Amino acid sequence: MNRLKIWVLTLLAVGAGLAGLFFLTGNAVERAQAEQDARLSAAAAHLDARVQLLSRQATEVAEAAARADAVKAAPPDGAGFGLAAQAALEAALKGAGLDASRALAGYAQGQTARVDAAGKPLDPKDPPAQRAVEAAAGTAQKGFVRTADGVWYAVALPAGPGAALVVGLPLDAAFAKAFRAESGAELLVSADVKRTVSSLPAAESPQLFALPRTAGAAPTGVGRLAPAQVAGVPAPLLLASAPAWRARVEKLGASGAAVVLAVPTAPALSGLVPFQYAALVALALLLLVGLVLGATAHDGPRMPRDLLAAAEKVGQGDYTARAPIVSGPLGTVAQAMNRASQAALAMQAISREEPPSQLAPAPPPAPARPGAAEEPAPQPPAASVLPPEPAPAAAPFAPESPEPGLFAEPGSHAAAAPPPPEPPPAPAAVPYEPAPAPYRPAAFEPPPPYEPPAPPPYEASAPSAPWSAPVEPAPEAVPLPPPRADTITGATNLTTPTRELMLQGMAAAAEQSAPPPAPTGEEAAWRDVFSHFLDARTRSGEGTAGLTWEKFQAKLQKNKEQLQQKYGCRDVRFSVYLKEGRAALKATPVK
């Protein structure tokens, strides 16, 4: 693998890591915001429960004060009603376990109202005094009211003809702290009052107080997440933005005030920032390692110049070039190229020195034309042997040369040259047999000893006295001498060292390039099963890694021996099938 590939793969890995970190950060921020929104919904439900508790407590205090004997006995329009009402309200607050110094309490007689908030008298035009006057007219009033000092939940109930009592419980700092302890959310009362109410320190409240009071109940993000401490160093959130708070605004009726519920996002994202920086350090190390590996990598073994020069010469047709012998895979290539060059030189030498008639068998004779008279085909001088002229005495037939391969078959007078056509008709009926098949060096066998038959009687063509002569018995068969090491019988004599070298090179090249023998019998059948098994595993998606023919053959042999021992069968036939989407083997005993 060269350095460019290493660098490209390194950049791809780093890019994939950055992309994964980006998506992971976005998902983590979204998940954290969803968790904070769920906490806000739970806090809003808890606020509703607290408001209902305030309403029930204020109503119970007002009803208890209205049932007091002093209030019932005092005339509603007299001066004694106000004193009796204040005493009854104070006693009722203490009886309910509420702090009278934090509460709102008062009464109304007709259109006149007196209401104190935390011990301070309010203006008769303030909303609590107006609620008391409306209750004196016979209609009970409940809800949030706002004064110059804060926000209250007030309940005004009629207390006789033309009279009413009013009780209010505050939404102050104590209420906010108790709410945070119960719900885990921060509470701020947003109203145009002198004293702000918040469960947060004053430095962290301004952003939340700046929310509009008409924002609605949908959660919203406020501020920006502050940097986290990573190894003692402030580290901001990367690849995404997150708010410092998730807040929700709840309106307090028609009082013009609102409650802000808020939860911080930093605790939910506390583990994300350190993870980001650890991942960036890991990716930086990966990039550095990839750059170093790419800088130190090389493209594999370099080709020797001598080997390249020899390959170029062979490619140009110069087969005398020889490649240097080196170690490793290049040495195998060099040896193969040298053997191929040697074989090519041998073929060139044969094509230059051998006549075509000695390299290929003689073509078969052309078929005779219909109706044409048979004409004897011309014969080469060396292969034409005609019967002898009539002689006074018959002589026994004897071989003319002791050289092997120069004799024809019994009853024939043709030499061992290329097969001649049939001889022309002669006066004497001499049987003629065709020449032997062309010589094949690989299948050469020495011919059997030659036993010439007795020559037939020769009849002269001209009328004369009958010719006869004593016929001597045929000589004993002379065995053929074994062929010499420097000859090839049947084709030609090759006695030069160059010819032997060429033939040796051709034989060596043919032996090395010959394919291995094809398997037969059981091995061929098992190899076919192995091929089908590989194909089935590939189609089923199982893969063929580590599965070799040797392991497969050993497994089949073991199964065969087990089945033969168990069933006493003669043979076992294996086949491939799919079982539950996986390739499997089926063994069938053969009796």
Side-chain angles (χ1 to χ4, degrees):
M1 181 178 294
N2 55 26
R3 64 185 60 184
L4 181 59
K5 291 182 179 179
I6 293 178
W7 287 342
V8 170
L9 291 178
T10 301
L11 292 177
L12 289 177
V14 172
L18 290 175
L21 183 61
F22 175 78
F23 287 111
L24 180 63
T25 300
N27 291 335
V29 171
E30 291 180 0
R31 186 168 60 252
Q33 292 183 359
E35 292 176 359
Q36 304 310 312
D37 292 346
R39 290 182 59 189
L40 287 176
S41 298
H46 187 75
L47 178 63
D48 291 339
R50 292 285 297 179
V51 169
Q52 293 177 7
L53 177 61
L54 291 177
S55 175
R56 185 172 65 252
Q57 289 176 339
T59 302
E60 290 177 354
V61 169
E63 290 177 349
R67 290 194 301 267
D69 295 338
V71 174
K72 291 181 178 179
D77 55 352
F81 180 81
L83 296 175
Q86 289 180 350
L89 288 172
E90 184 176 355
L93 287 170
K94 290 181 180 180
L98 301 175
D99 188 0
S101 63
R102 296 173 49 222
L104 181 147
Y107 63 92
Q109 290 177 306
Q111 299 296 321
T112 302
R114 177 183 173 82
V115 180
D116 296 336
K120 296 180 180 181
L122 299 179
D123 190 291
K125 296 182 180 179
D126 283 344
Q130 297 297 322
R131 295 288 181 91
V133 171
E134 293 175 1
T139 304
Q141 300 292 325
K142 293 182 180 182
F144 287 98
V145 293
R146 184 182 61 179
T147 66
D149 295 328
V151 178
W152 315 76
Y153 189 87
V155 174
L157 298 178
L165 299 178
V166 59
V167 177
L169 299 178
L171 271 68
D172 54 4
F175 178 85
K177 292 179 179 178
F179 181 84
R180 180 179 62 181
E182 295 169 355
S183 65
E186 306 293 342
L187 184 143
L188 300 88
V189 178
S190 177
D192 297 331
V193 294
K194 295 179 181 179
R195 292 181 297 177
T196 59
V197 176
S198 173
S199 60
L200 287 172
E204 301 179 14
S205 303
Q207 290 180 333
L208 296 173
F209 276 123
L211 286 175
R213 299 171 193 170
T214 58
T220 182
V222 178
R224 185 177 180 84
L225 183 65
Q229 294 293 325
V230 178
V233 178
L237 179 68
L238 302 176
L239 306 177
S241 61
W245 300 89
R246 292 292 290 177
R248 176 173 175 171
V249 177
E250 297 288 340
K251 298 175 65 176
L252 298 180
S255 64
V259 170
V260 179
L261 304 177
V263 290
T265 58
L269 298 175
S270 60
L272 178 61
V273 177
F275 172 78
Q276 281 185 327
Y277 284 90
L280 289 178
V281 170
L283 291 177
L285 291 177
L286 175 62
L287 180 61
L288 179 61
V289 171
L291 293 177
V292 172
L293 288 179
T296 57
H298 56 85
D299 297 339
R302 296 185 178 180
M303 189 75 67
R305 294 184 179 180
D306 297 342
L307 183 57
L308 285 175
E312 291 178 359
K313 291 181 180 180
V314 172
Q316 295 173 0
D318 183 6
Y319 300 115
T320 60
R322 291 294 181 267
I325 303 303
V326 295
S327 60
L330 294 180
T332 304
V333 175
Q335 293 177 4
M337 188 171 66
N338 290 342
R339 288 195 297 268
S341 299
Q342 184 179 358
L345 281 176
M347 294 298 297
Q348 285 184 349
I350 291 178
S351 63
R352 288 195 303 265
E353 298 182 9
E354 285 288 351
S357 59
Q358 295 179 352
L359 294 177
R369 294 190 302 273
E374 280 193 16
E375 297 182 1
Q379 301 180 5
S384 300
V385 179
L386 297 179
E389 293 294 333
F397 179 83
E400 299 179 2
S401 173
E403 293 291 335
L406 301 180
F407 294 99
E409 293 291 336
S412 162
H413 296 281
E422 295 181 1
V430 180
Y432 179 82
E433 296 183 4
Y439 168 71
R440 297 291 185 269
F444 173 77
E445 295 181 3
Y450 177 73
E451 296 181 2
Y458 178 78
E459 295 181 2
S461 58
S464 60
W467 178 80
S468 63
V471 179
E472 297 181 2
E476 296 182 358
V478 180
L480 291 175
R484 297 198 301 269
D486 58 347
T487 62
I488 296 181
T489 306
T492 182
N493 291 336
L494 303 178
T495 59
T496 60
T498 303
R499 183 61 53 83
E500 291 182 1
L501 290 176
M502 289 188 295
L503 293 176
Q504 291 176 4
M506 294 175 62
E511 180 180 356
Q512 295 179 1
S513 62
T520 57
E522 184 180 73
E523 182 181 356
W526 285 6
R527 282 189 177 273
D528 186 53
V529 174
F530 181 61
S531 175
H532 287 293
F533 189 69
L534 292 179
D535 181 63
R537 287 181 66 90
T538 302
R539 287 188 284 108
S540 63
E542 300 176 72
T544 59
L547 183 58
T548 62
W549 159 247
E550 289 75 13
K551 295 181 181 179
F552 188 79
Q553 185 183 26
K555 181 67 175 178
L556 294 188
Q557 182 65 31
K558 181 179 179 181
N559 291 346
K560 176 183 176 182
E561 293 174 357
Q562 292 177 353
L563 293 177
Q564 285 180 336
Q565 183 178 3
K566 180 177 180 180
Y567 297 104
C569 55
R570 175 177 54 86
D571 197 0
V572 178
R573 183 181 300 120
F574 295 94
S575 58
V576 180
Y577 72 103
L578 291 177
K579 180 179 180 181
E580 298 179 357
R582 298 172 60 90
L585 289 175
K586 178 180 180 182
T588 304
V590 180
K591 297 295 185 178

